[in-house]
Amino acid sequence: MSFLPAISIIALLAMLPVLISLRASMVEGGTDFAAACAIAGAATLFLMLSEIPALRPLSLIGIVFLIGACLFVLSGFHRALGVLRPMSTPLVAAASVSAVVLLIAAFGPQRATLHALSSVGIAAAFVLVIAVGSQHRRAAPGPIERLCVIACAAIGCSALIAVTIFSPIAHGFAETPLASASWDFACVVLRYFYLPVLFLGVILMIQNRVITDLKSAIARDELTGALSRRALLDFGQRALAVGFARQRPVTFLLLDLDYFKQINDRYGHAVGDTALGHFAGTVAACLGSRGTLGRIGGEEFGIVLPNHSEDAAFAVAEEIGRTVRDTPIGRFDRPIRLTVSIGLAEAGPGDTISDIMIRADMALYDAKADGRDRCTIAGRFQPEASARALAAAAAQMRAAENRNFEPQLLTGTG
């Protein structure tokens, strides 16, 4: 009895708990892959025991289990890749099995035929593992790529089943020692290492997909779909590093939705959330690929504009302001018109993203003090606007001091 089936069984049993745990990740096909791994382990065990003369009938049970495992593998890929046509997977499986049957019927279960089958199966396995490992990419696989993955899985599984069934028959045919050794090696690789390597690729695929989903959830604001504050700052810092290295300008826009508190107070927070989502969608559509939008917090948003000078960024800001002004929310009884105030700052030598945000925040404050619904560039304040901004800041500080002082007076008199 060979020890190679035992190695395959141990590998499958080691991966089974991982597949079962990953089933809770809500990735489609996880349950099918876990079932396929368990059935494949049982099939390998029966096939290993059938090498004992007294237990030879167990080979039939092993082959039946192996066919079941391969069907679960195809079903798992069908679900994981989101194939829209339910009949595509059975059709590919039927076509692969038919091709194998016709090949064996035409040439007989000879060593050369099974050698070719095992070689095709191994090649399909390599292509399949590479394709499965590439599923962590951000771009979703296209229909042709999905079909290729399922076809490779079907071809590999069909070749595996054919080699398992006809391998004992083929040993009766005489061939040269070199051809016999190469064929035996190909069959061993296909029979005992195809499924373990395949399930390892599946584990990597599911893990990569879960990690990608988590990164996307962390990097995106749930309400608006814009980047989160942390993700925007990280992106901005990387954009600064690239801009400094290539001597390209980088500009930051700080946007504040005007009168957002009044929207919440008058229409309710549900309408306020709708306004934020509408505003973010409008800005993102207007911005396109020129920059990256993120939500700083509340009704404040930031935009990183690589390769944009102050003047170029100001033109983008003016375009955003016009678009927001001309795109009211039309879901309610009467349209709700939105406007936005924008502060703009360009990166200087040695700046961090926080430095630019501070200057953009000062410019935004000046834009709001100057009447809102406008863009102001940091360092280009109008004297009267700056005076109003300072007066408003002083008034806010006095109001904050009074709020902090009044409770103490009430306590002292009570």
Side-chain angles (χ1 to χ4, degrees):
M1 181 183 297
S2 173
F3 65 91
L4 291 176
I7 295 177
S8 178
I9 293 173
I10 292 173
L12 291 171
L13 291 179
M15 285 184 281
L16 180 59
V18 181
L19 287 169
I20 293 175
S21 65
L22 290 176
R23 186 184 58 176
S25 62
M26 302 303 292
V27 174
E28 292 291 335
T31 302
D32 294 322
F33 287 128
C37 184
I39 297 173
T44 307
L45 176 62
F46 285 124
L47 292 172
M48 181 182 69
L49 294 176
S50 68
E51 295 180 5
I52 302 174
L55 301 177
R56 197 169 300 278
L58 291 178
S59 62
L60 180 60
I61 300 177
I63 292 172
V64 172
F65 273 60
L66 185 61
I67 294 173
C70 292
L71 291 177
F72 271 108
V73 166
L74 295 181
S75 176
F77 278 115
H78 165 81
R79 297 176 185 275
L81 298 177
V83 178
L84 298 180
R85 296 180 180 178
M87 290 302 296
S88 59
T89 300
L91 285 176
V92 171
S96 302
V97 173
S98 300
V100 171
V101 170
L102 289 175
L103 183 61
I104 293 176
F107 299 97
Q110 302 179 8
R111 285 180 179 271
T113 303
L114 295 182
H115 190 177
L117 282 176
S118 60
S119 300
V120 171
I122 292 172
F126 276 111
V127 174
L128 179 62
V129 171
I130 292 173
V132 168
S134 68
Q135 294 303 311
H136 67 279
R137 298 175 306 175
R138 290 183 179 272
I144 296 179
E145 183 180 354
R146 297 174 185 176
L147 185 61
C148 288
V149 170
I150 294 177
C152 288
I155 292 171
C157 291
S158 300
L160 171 63
I161 295 170
V163 168
T164 302
I165 294 175
F166 294 104
S167 181
I169 302 175
H171 277 287
F173 294 88
E175 283 192 357
T176 62
L178 180 60
S180 177
S182 61
W183 177 79
D184 288 339
F185 175 76
C187 285
V188 166
V189 171
L190 184 61
R191 291 182 64 182
Y192 300 126
F193 297 105
Y194 175 75
L195 287 179
V197 172
L198 174 60
F199 287 122
L200 178 61
V202 168
I203 290 173
L204 295 176
M205 178 187 72
I206 297 177
Q207 285 182 334
N208 286 330
R209 186 168 296 183
V210 171
I211 292 173
T212 300
D213 292 342
L214 288 176
K215 286 182 178 180
S216 177
I218 294 173
R220 292 286 171 181
D221 176 63
E222 183 179 1
L223 178 62
T224 62
L227 287 182
S228 65
R229 176 188 178 95
R230 173 74 176 272
L232 181 67
L233 295 182
D234 290 343
F235 174 81
Q237 197 60 48
R238 292 194 301 270
L240 283 179
V242 174
F244 291 152
R246 299 180 180 178
Q247 296 183 347
R248 301 281 182 84
V250 178
T251 306
F252 185 84
L253 304 182
L254 189 61
L255 295 77
D256 188 276
L257 187 59
D258 294 330
Y259 303 110
F260 180 68
K261 186 177 184 301
Q262 284 83 340
I263 294 176
N264 275 334
D265 293 342
R266 182 174 181 179
Y267 299 101
H269 289 280
V271 177
D273 291 344
T274 302
L276 288 176
H278 174 83
F279 172 74
T282 302
V283 173
C286 176
L287 186 62
S289 60
R290 292 176 292 183
T292 300
L293 173 70
R295 186 181 181 190
I296 303 298
E299 68 272 24
E300 281 194 347
F301 294 78
I303 296 176
V304 178
L305 285 173
N307 304 319
H308 280 68
S309 62
E310 281 187 350
D311 294 334
F314 184 79
V316 174
E318 290 286 297
E319 181 183 351
I320 291 174
R322 287 193 302 270
T323 304
V324 171
R325 194 181 309 119
D326 298 337
T327 314
I329 307 175
R331 302 182 186 179
F332 308 102
D333 295 337
R334 56 179 180 176
I336 301 176
R337 184 170 175 268
L338 304 177
T339 60
V340 59
S341 300
I342 304 175
L344 185 155
E346 183 178 352
D351 275 344
T352 64
I353 189 64
S354 298
D355 297 331
I356 309 171
M357 283 184 62
I358 291 173
R359 295 203 302 273
D361 191 31
M362 295 173 61
L364 172 63
Y365 193 85
D366 191 86
K368 296 181 80 69
D370 199 29
R372 294 182 170 84
D373 191 19
R374 67 195 66 232
C375 175
T376 302
I377 300 176
R380 299 188 187 180
F381 304 141
Q382 299 176 359
E384 60 274 15
S386 297
R388 286 195 296 270
L390 291 175
Q396 286 185 352
M397 291 178 64
R398 287 195 298 271
E401 290 176 356
N402 291 334
R403 284 195 299 269
N404 293 334
F405 187 65
E406 285 174 0
Q408 297 177 3
L409 292 176
L410 292 174
T411 303
T413 58

